[in-house]
């Protein structure tokens, strides 16, 4: 390399280090040159750095700003499980579906699975509609109609196991990113030609950081890679800590400039009552749950919410994060396996139990019928249309085998907030 080339690198390197134009480099404005070597990006010699305008918008997701909180049950432990004692943790910001996954969403899933997958997998994706069947109750119509009849389109899907819910998350990730890829090819992202979310790959080869090729509908090559920021992170089930934090929605009790959390909620709304105390909706229930023995909906009239079983996923007021039905309607699967002492074992930053580490399944006598716990039971949260108000509190938790399903458990998806804490 000759002296003039060294000099040019020195000049551009100094300019980059001094952040000549517009301040220090950022993820969305990395600059033209490396701030450590001075080498120009997107040249034959330099590394490829794609245009990036921030994480693409994920359909149906609401941003949940993370922070410090106290997780755990705020209610009297009437079940005597002592499995969710209060402790202080910190959660990173994330995204969560504003409402439960509904029947229409699952039917869409089945539509594409039938087109793109083996018949065996399609059969495995079908919800268990027989969860409605009861020997001493006439729920027979729900067995046939609840999933497929148009009137139930935006009721939460049920009869879905934890394993099936995970498969849905995997499919949804692929389908949403496939759509983003198509939009990028057609220039819908608003970026300049060759850039933006999905610019076309113009030449073969490149270094290890280059994108993998994918073929668009018009035959063009798209650049799809994590490094390009042109895909959404994975849709997934929320962790138990994320779900509980989002359900509390304590951001609605926070005073500006005060880092002390002086109020805690029993439910995802203020107060100890389960009816709306204000305005035109005064007296109406704030969630879909069982009021008492034999009372699923109240008497006919203005205070009857009409929810004998599940209900429209947007039917009750959202919490302060904008999330609907974080209490009642259906319980919801979360990622964690169940252990009664998770609150003692997991870390205090993004707590999550993925396995039996520190609390192995061998300690639980399932073979001798003294326990129901092993590494295949998963936590579910939130209470349902068939549960009493105790289970509406975000700190309560129960568990069930990951391959089982009921008429009272559904789910919603979550996603990390990549590259930012706000």
């Amino acid at each position: 390399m000759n002296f003039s080339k060294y000099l040019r690198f020195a000049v551009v390197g100094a300019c980059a280090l001094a952040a000549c134009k517009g301040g220090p480099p950022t993820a969305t404005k990395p600059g033209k040159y490396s701030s450590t070597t001075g080498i120009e990006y997107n040249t034959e010699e330099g590394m490829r750095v794609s245009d990036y305008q921030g994480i693409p918008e994920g359909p149906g997701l609401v941003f949940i700003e993370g922070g410090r909180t106290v997780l755990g049950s705020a209610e009297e432990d009437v079940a005597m499980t002592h499995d969710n004692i209060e402790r202080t943790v910190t959660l990173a910001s994330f995204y969560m579906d504003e409402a439960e996954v509904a029947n229409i969403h699952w039917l869409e899933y089945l539509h594409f699975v039938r087109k793109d997958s083996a018949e065996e997998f399609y059969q495995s994706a079908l919800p268990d509609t027989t969860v409605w069947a009861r020997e001493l109750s006439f729920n027979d119509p729900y067995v046939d109609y609840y999933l497929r009849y148009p009137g139930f389109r935006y009721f939460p899907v049920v009869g879905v196991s934890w394993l099936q819910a995970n498969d849905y998350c995997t499919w949804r990730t692929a389908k949403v990113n496939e759509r983003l890829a198509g939009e990028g090819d057609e220039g819908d992202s608003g970026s300049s030609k060759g850039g933006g979310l999905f610019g076309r790959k113009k030449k073969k080869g490149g270094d290890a950081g280059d994108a993998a090729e994918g073929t668009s509908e018009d035959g063009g090559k798209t650049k799809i890679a994590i490094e390009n920021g042109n895909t959404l992170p994975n849709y997934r089930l929320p962790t138990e800590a994320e779900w509980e934090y989002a359900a509390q929605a304590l951001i609605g009790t926070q005073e500006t400039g005060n880092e002390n959390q002086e109020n805690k909620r029993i439910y995802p709304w203020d107060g100890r009552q389960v009816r709306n105390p204000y305005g035109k909706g005064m007296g109406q229930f704030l969630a879909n749950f069982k009021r008492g023995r034999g009372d699923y909906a109240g008497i006919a009239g203005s205070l009857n919410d009409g929810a004998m079983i599940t209900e429209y996923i947007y039917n009750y007021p959202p919490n302060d994060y904008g999330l609907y039905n974080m209490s009642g309607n259906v319980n919801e699967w979360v990622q964690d396996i169940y252990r009664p002492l998770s609150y003692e074992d997991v870390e205090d930053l993004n707590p999550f139990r993925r396995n039996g580490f520190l609390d192995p399944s061998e300690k639980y006598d399932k073979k001798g019928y003294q326990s129901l716990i092993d590494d295949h039971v998963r936590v579910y949260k939130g209470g349902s249309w068939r549960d009493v108000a105790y289970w509406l509190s975000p700190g309560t938790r129960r568990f069930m085998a990951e391959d089982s399903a009921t008429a009272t458990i559904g789910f919603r998806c979550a996603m990390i907030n990549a590259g930012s804490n706000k």
Side-chain angles (χ1 to χ4, degrees):
M1 184 182 295
N2 58 37
F3 177 75
S4 62
K5 198 167 187 179
Y6 273 120
L7 182 61
R8 180 171 63 83
F9 278 155
V11 171
V12 297
C15 184
L17 288 169
C20 295
K21 297 181 179 179
T26 65
T28 56
K29 296 180 180 179
K32 190 176 181 180
Y33 301 94
S34 167
S35 59
T36 54
T37 65
I39 298 174
E40 187 175 1
Y41 295 135
N42 299 320
T43 61
E44 186 174 345
E45 182 176 357
M47 181 181 73
R48 184 176 181 278
V49 177
S50 302
D51 291 343
Y52 177 62
Q53 301 302 320
I55 184 171
E57 183 177 350
L61 297 176
V62 171
F63 176 68
I64 310 296
E65 184 179 6
R68 184 194 70 218
T69 192
V70 177
L71 298 182
S73 181
E75 284 279 51
E76 182 181 355
D77 190 6
V78 296
M80 300 297 289
T81 54
H82 304 293
D83 64 351
N84 204 22
I85 295 175
E86 291 184 328
R87 71 278 186 197
T88 300
V89 302
T90 295
L91 277 295
S93 298
F94 59 100
Y95 292 90
M96 181 177 277
D97 277 340
E98 66 177 354
E100 298 140 340
V101 173
N103 287 321
I104 191 170
H105 305 135
W106 200 268
L107 290 173
E108 179 188 28
Y109 171 51
L110 294 177
H111 167 78
F112 284 105
V113 165
R114 174 154 253 176
K115 286 174 56 179
D116 303 334
S117 304
E119 180 65 20
E120 181 181 5
F121 183 76
Y122 172 78
Q123 292 297 325
S124 73
L126 293 172
D128 181 7
T129 59
T130 65
V131 295
W132 291 106
R134 309 282 288 185
E135 287 292 336
L136 300 177
S137 183
F138 186 65
N139 291 340
D140 306 40
Y142 300 133
V143 175
D144 296 324
Y145 288 95
Y146 181 80
L147 175 64
R148 299 183 184 276
Y149 191 74
F152 291 115
R153 279 175 177 166
Y154 281 93
F155 282 48
V157 66
V158 297
V160 172
S161 70
W162 183 93
L163 295 173
Q164 288 176 308
N166 266 276
D167 287 340
Y168 174 87
C169 293
T170 301
W171 169 84
R172 184 176 175 185
T173 301
K175 210 64 186 174
V176 170
N177 283 327
E178 179 184 312
R179 180 185 61 80
L180 288 173
E183 289 180 357
D185 278 340
E186 295 162 9
D188 292 340
S189 66
S191 61
S192 59
K193 185 176 181 181
L197 290 178
F198 281 79
R200 291 181 184 153
K201 193 172 182 68
K202 295 183 179 179
K203 63 178 181 179
K204 296 181 180 179
D207 59 25
D210 282 349
E213 288 187 0
T215 304
S216 63
E217 293 182 359
D218 63 358
K221 296 294 184 181
T222 60
K223 298 175 286 188
I224 306 173
I226 292 177
E227 292 85 352
N228 290 344
N230 53 19
T231 59
L232 281 168
N234 291 340
Y235 285 90
R236 56 175 172 78
L237 293 177
T239 66
E240 181 179 6
E242 287 175 334
W243 192 99
E244 188 172 328
Y245 177 82
Q248 287 178 350
L250 292 178
I251 193 171
T253 68
Q254 187 68 37
E255 295 181 11
T256 304
N258 181 4
E259 261 201 85
N260 293 322
Q261 195 71 62
E262 298 173 350
N263 298 295
K264 190 172 181 180
R265 288 169 163 165
I266 302 297
Y267 306 113
W269 52 82
D270 292 335
R272 300 189 65 89
Q273 72 281 350
V274 292
R275 293 178 185 262
N276 191 339
Y278 307 112
K280 293 181 179 180
M282 183 181 295
Q284 294 179 357
F285 280 93
L286 296 169
N288 176 17
F289 65 101
K290 184 178 180 180
R291 292 88 178 277
R293 186 174 180 84
D295 187 358
Y296 291 84
I299 62 174
S302 61
L303 293 183
N304 181 359
D305 64 7
M308 283 71 172
I309 57 166
T310 57
E311 183 52 275
Y312 178 52
I313 59 174
Y314 298 104
N315 196 44
Y316 296 87
N319 71 9
D320 286 320
Y321 277 125
L323 303 173
Y324 291 84
N325 289 298
M326 292 299 284
S327 283
N329 214 21
V330 289
N331 291 285
E332 298 178 15
W333 289 114
V334 296
Q335 280 200 53
D336 300 52
I337 66 166
Y338 176 81
R339 288 293 189 275
L341 299 181
S342 287
Y343 69 91
E344 289 186 354
D345 298 336
V346 294
E347 299 201 21
D348 57 3
L349 174 63
N350 298 323
F352 170 55
R353 182 177 281 286
R354 72 183 78 244
N355 51 38
F357 180 66
L358 296 180
D359 197 0
S361 61
E362 290 78 14
K363 292 173 60 177
Y364 299 91
D365 184 17
K366 191 167 185 178
K367 291 183 179 179
Y369 302 100
Q370 301 299 310
S371 174
L372 297 173
I373 299 172
D374 61 17
D375 288 342
H376 300 284
V377 293
R378 303 285 173 169
V379 178
Y380 63 91
K381 309 270 286 182
S384 77
W385 59 273
R386 204 162 66 189
D387 291 316
V388 295
Y390 172 79
W391 297 108
L392 303 183
S393 182
T396 57
R397 61 201 301 252
R398 287 175 285 182
F399 63 91
M400 192 169 69
E402 62 186 22
D403 60 353
S404 298
T406 78
T408 63
I409 301 180
F411 72 102
R412 72 182 75 210
C413 300
M415 179 187 295
I416 66 167
N417 179 41
S420 175
N421 292 319
K422 292 186 176 181

